[in-house]
Amino acid sequence: MPNARLKDYLHLHFLVFIAGFTAILGKEISAGATAIVWYRMAIAAVLMFIYIKIIKLNIKVSKEAVIKFSVAGVIIALHWITFFESIKQSNVSIALAMFSSGAFFASFIEPIFFKRRVLVYEIGFGLIVILGVFLITSSELKYINGIILGLLSALFSTLFAVINGRFIEKYNSTVISFYEFISGVLFLSLFIHFSGIHFNESFFTLTQIDWVYIFILASVCTAYAFIGAVEVMRYISPFTVILTYNLEPIYGIILALFLFPETEQMSSQFYFGATLIIVIVLFDALLKNNKARKRKKMPVNN
């Protein structure tokens, strides 16, 4: 792997900042969570298709692969819906703090998908994450709906990440995302049609600023952010990229506190609980990286 330059690290942190800014846009856009995600995935799919045509990427895959990608597309759609609805029901800080609890779900989901044993320290970390969630919940009971939605969002996000981890071993990441976006749009279109929301005039009637925010969300925070993340991993190790992306809640919470001090100012217990969760997530990533390095250094017996 080539040596990473300062601009590569700055690019990585810019991408993480963009990820945190997604929550800010979710708060600012007046449309409902389902509509936001439909627009996000539809526009991102179109932009991704243009990118595929420009680089002349072959997107042909088997029907079995399309079905698998479609399932993942539904899961990421559910993640984004619950995430944005968590913001609507509470605020940015609550949604991002709960999103950080994904490490707890990963400790149980990963062993199932990768057929490995549950690690003792992961259970311990999971219990500490539960403590952090309890501290946040007990201090912010008025946001209980947002907290529950945020936890569901973390669950869907973890499930999606684990499934995608299996896909990336066999398929191009751009191809995977393109099919996931398309399937997500189809799923949401059916949901909107049968749920009573409907694609009527009011669904497509948004304010000028909403259209601007939605385009930024779909283009910069989705299509560009994804392509940029793939590009930056050419120069920076995957571990560093993953570890840095764990800073997303920190960037997002600080940004929300700066932009919306009247609604994002939380109790000291909330910040203690959120810090506890984020520190555990970072420590878990560091521990896993050290274990991986030790395994590589062990002699191999033929």
Side-chain angles (χ1 to χ4, degrees), residues 5 35 42 91 93 96 140 143 174 186 190 214 216 242 244 253 297:
R5 296 159 294 180
N91 57 30
S93 298
L96 287 173
E140 305 293 343
Y143 295 130
T174 301
L186 292 174
L190 290 172
I214 285 174
I216 293 173
I242 293 169
T244 307
I253 290 173
K297 292 179 180 179

Side-chain angles (χ1 to χ4, degrees), residues 180-254:
E180 287 172 346
F181 289 160
I182 292 295
S183 62
V185 172
L186 292 174
F187 164 72
L188 289 175
S189 297
L190 290 172
F191 175 78
I192 289 169
H193 177 73
F194 290 107
S195 66
I197 300 175
H198 298 306
F199 288 107
N200 50 29
E201 185 180 348
S202 63
F203 184 89
F204 294 101
T205 303
L206 299 174
T207 64
Q208 242 181 356
I209 195 63
D210 274 346
W211 281 115
V212 172
Y213 287 152
I214 285 174
F215 186 76
I216 293 173
L217 177 65
S219 58
V220 179
C221 299
T222 307
Y224 163 74
F226 170 77
I227 295 169
V230 174
E231 179 64 24
V232 83
M233 279 194 281
R234 294 173 184 261
Y235 307 102
I236 301 176
S237 71
F239 167 74
T240 302
V241 173
I242 293 169
L243 183 64
T244 307
Y245 263 92
N246 284 327
L247 298 175
E248 175 191 342
I250 298 176
Y251 283 166
I253 290 173
I254 292 174

Side-chain angles (χ1 to χ4, degrees), residues 15-281:
L15 291 171
V16 178
F17 174 82
I18 287 174
F21 190 67
T22 297
I24 304 298
L25 291 174
K27 182 180 178 71
E28 287 292 275
I29 298 171
S30 62
T34 304
I36 291 175
V37 178
W38 186 87
Y39 280 116
R40 178 183 194 176
M41 299 190 86
I43 297 173
V46 172
L47 294 174
M48 191 70 75
F49 181 73
I50 294 171
Y51 172 72
I52 287 169
K53 286 296 183 182
I54 291 173
I55 65 173
K56 298 179 180 179
L57 181 65
N58 183 10
I59 61 172
K60 289 184 178 179
V61 294
S62 66
K63 289 182 179 179
E64 182 184 359
V66 171
I67 293 172
K68 290 179 179 179
F69 297 159
S70 297
V71 172
V74 171
I75 292 173
I76 192 61
L78 291 172
H79 156 61
W80 281 336
I81 288 173
T82 49
F83 179 71
F84 287 126
E85 189 60 32
S86 175
I87 294 172
K88 301 289 185 183
Q89 296 280 340
S90 54
N91 57 30
V92 172
S93 298
I94 290 289
L96 287 173
M98 294 301 101
F99 175 70
S100 302
S101 67
F104 167 70
F105 295 113
S107 66
F108 295 100
I109 293 175
E110 280 188 7
I112 295 173
F113 276 83
F114 293 104
K115 296 179 180 179
R116 65 167 176 82
R117 63 186 179 86
V118 177
L119 303 176
V120 175
Y121 78 85
E122 286 183 332
I123 296 175
F125 285 173
L127 292 173
I128 296 175
V129 168
I130 290 175
L131 174 61
V133 172
F134 172 76
L135 290 171
I136 292 172
T137 304
S138 60
S139 65
E140 305 293 343
L141 277 174
K142 60 183 176 181
Y143 295 130
I144 188 63
N145 289 340
I147 289 171
I148 293 172
L149 286 164
L151 289 171
L152 285 173
S153 172
L155 173 60
F156 288 129
S157 174
T158 304
L159 188 58
F160 173 76
V162 172
I163 292 174
N164 252 21
R166 301 299 296 268
F167 293 160
I168 206 71
E169 296 171 0
K170 298 180 180 180
Y171 305 98
N172 180 282
S173 53
T174 301
V175 174
I176 295 170
S177 289
F178 175 69
Y179 281 107
E180 287 172 346
F181 289 160
I182 292 295
S183 62
V185 172
L186 292 174
F187 164 72
L188 289 175
S189 297
L190 290 172
F191 175 78
I192 289 169
H193 177 73
F194 290 107
S195 66
I197 300 175
H198 298 306
F199 288 107
N200 50 29
E201 185 180 348
S202 63
F203 184 89
F204 294 101
T205 303
L206 299 174
T207 64
Q208 242 181 356
I209 195 63
D210 274 346
W211 281 115
V212 172
Y213 287 152
I214 285 174
F215 186 76
I216 293 173
L217 177 65
S219 58
V220 179
C221 299
T222 307
Y224 163 74
F226 170 77
I227 295 169
V230 174
E231 179 64 24
V232 83
M233 279 194 281
R234 294 173 184 261
Y235 307 102
I236 301 176
S237 71
F239 167 74
T240 302
V241 173
I242 293 169
L243 183 64
T244 307
Y245 263 92
N246 284 327
L247 298 175
E248 175 191 342
I250 298 176
Y251 283 166
I253 290 173
I254 292 174
L255 191 59
L257 190 59
F258 177 76
L259 294 174
F260 315 110
E262 65 285 347
T263 59
E264 296 293 332
Q265 186 70 47
M266 312 297 286
S267 66
S268 57
Q269 189 170 315
F270 165 85
Y271 291 113
F272 180 72
T275 301
L276 199 61
I277 294 171
I278 293 168
V279 167
I280 285 298
V281 169

